[in-house]
Amino acid sequence: MNDTRRVLAAIATPIVLARLRALKTPADLKFEAVENGLAFQARAWHRTFDLLVAELPFLGLEPTRFLRTLRSEECASANSPVLFLVRKSYDSKLLSIAPSLLRLVTTCTSLSQTLKVVNETLELRDRSSVHLFAETEVIIDSSRLQRVCQVENVSPSGMLLRMKRHLPLGSVVPFTLRLPDDDTPIYGRGEVIRHTDETTEAVSGVGVRFFGLDGDGSSRLAGFLRAQPHQARVIR
């Protein structure tokens, strides 16, 4: 689970926050949001994030001071990329920031552009929202549960399974994944690492991190994903 990508966001506009939260549907993306600039700076200081996203202006967040603190050697996220979503009227204020502080900083002025940059930065393009089916089997409280689940989202490292009953976090799930027009299923095992949040996500289910796929399963799944259109990468 060490390759789970972490995103920290300071967003005030509800629709922007909702669209960013929706990107965590893949099993290997963890999204955190804060309510003020002080908390944003403190979390970035103490923990390493793969991407920091901030809407400007944002309560208590002054970009020059934040970037100066962020790029300190003592900061855990010193080398993390930063994405600023700015109103056009605010964009000119960023011009006064020293070029040395703008290393790894991207500025966007629209939601669609912001989501595109997030997808590219976190390399989410290898995921596909094509609907497959997975047969799973798990033992809970001495009961063996077998079911066929729709795969809402799949990547080389994990998948999101639609189900109303959430399996316990940490459950080991043997599964059989069937690709279209392929008579030979892919066998593998994974771990339940998260539950969807039904207040912010349209899908009820669990995120599964792959432990590994048997035989040539990894190469077959990767080939299948490469062949899929990526229309779902940017949510408009």
Side-chain angles (χ1 to χ4, degrees):
M1 295 177 58
N2 291 333
D3 57 347
T4 297
R5 277 160 280 195
R6 306 179 67 90
V7 178
L8 179 64
I11 303 294
T13 305
I15 185 61
V16 176
L17 185 59
R19 294 293 181 87
L20 285 172
R21 285 188 183 279
L23 293 177
K24 74 176 183 178
T25 299
D28 51 359
L29 183 64
K30 183 173 179 60
F31 183 88
E32 298 181 37
V34 295
E35 297 181 353
N36 58 70
L38 182 61
F40 187 68
Q41 183 170 300
R43 291 201 191 185
W45 179 269
H46 292 290
R47 301 172 66 180
T48 301
F49 289 89
D50 297 281
L51 179 63
L52 304 169
V53 185
E55 182 181 17
L56 298 178
F58 187 78
L59 178 64
L61 183 63
E62 198 287 311
T64 301
R65 184 179 307 157
F66 165 70
L67 291 174
R68 188 177 294 118
T69 301
L70 178 69
R71 299 312 179 196
S72 302
E73 293 183 0
E74 298 84 1
C75 180
S77 294
N79 295 309
S80 300
V82 176
L83 172 58
F84 285 140
L85 171 59
V86 301
R87 299 174 185 172
K88 292 184 178 180
S89 59
Y90 193 90
D91 197 22
S92 59
K93 296 185 179 182
L94 299 179
L95 298 177
S96 60
I97 299 178
S100 60
L101 293 179
L102 294 177
R103 178 177 64 91
L104 298 177
V105 174
T106 302
T107 301
C108 297
T109 57
S110 69
L111 175 55
S112 60
Q113 184 184 18
T114 298
L115 295 171
K116 181 175 184 295
V117 171
V118 171
N119 277 278
E120 292 176 347
T121 302
L122 299 176
E123 299 179 345
L124 303 183
R125 292 165 294 178
D126 289 336
R127 295 166 177 79
S128 176
S129 60
V130 64
H131 293 167
L132 308 175
F133 288 95
E135 300 173 23
T136 66
E137 180 178 310
V138 63
I139 297 177
I140 300 177
D141 296 331
S142 300
S143 298
R144 185 183 301 272
L145 300 179
Q146 294 178 307
R147 61 184 65 189
V148 176
C149 302
Q150 181 173 297
V151 178
E152 178 68 19
N153 193 290
V154 64
S155 78
S157 59
M159 60 185 174
L160 181 74
L161 297 178
R162 278 182 175 263
M163 59 177 61
K164 292 184 178 180
R165 177 178 177 178
H166 287 172
L167 302 177
L169 294 176
S171 298
V172 176
V173 182
F175 62 85
T176 302
L177 186 64
R178 299 185 181 278
L179 302 179
D181 302 321
D182 192 337
D183 294 333
T184 304
I186 294 175
Y187 298 97
R189 295 169 70 248
E191 177 189 12
V192 176
I193 63 170
R194 82 173 187 92
H195 300 153
T196 56
D197 182 349
E198 297 182 18
T199 64
T200 59
E201 298 179 73
V203 178
S204 175
V206 299
V208 175
R209 161 76 65 185
F210 295 154
F211 284 148
L213 305 179
D214 295 349
D216 62 352
S218 295
S219 60
R220 289 166 57 203
L221 179 59
F224 169 76
L225 293 174
R226 285 194 298 269
Q228 302 309 304
H230 300 296
Q231 73 275 10
R233 301 302 174 267
V234 177
I235 305 174
R236 298 183 183 278

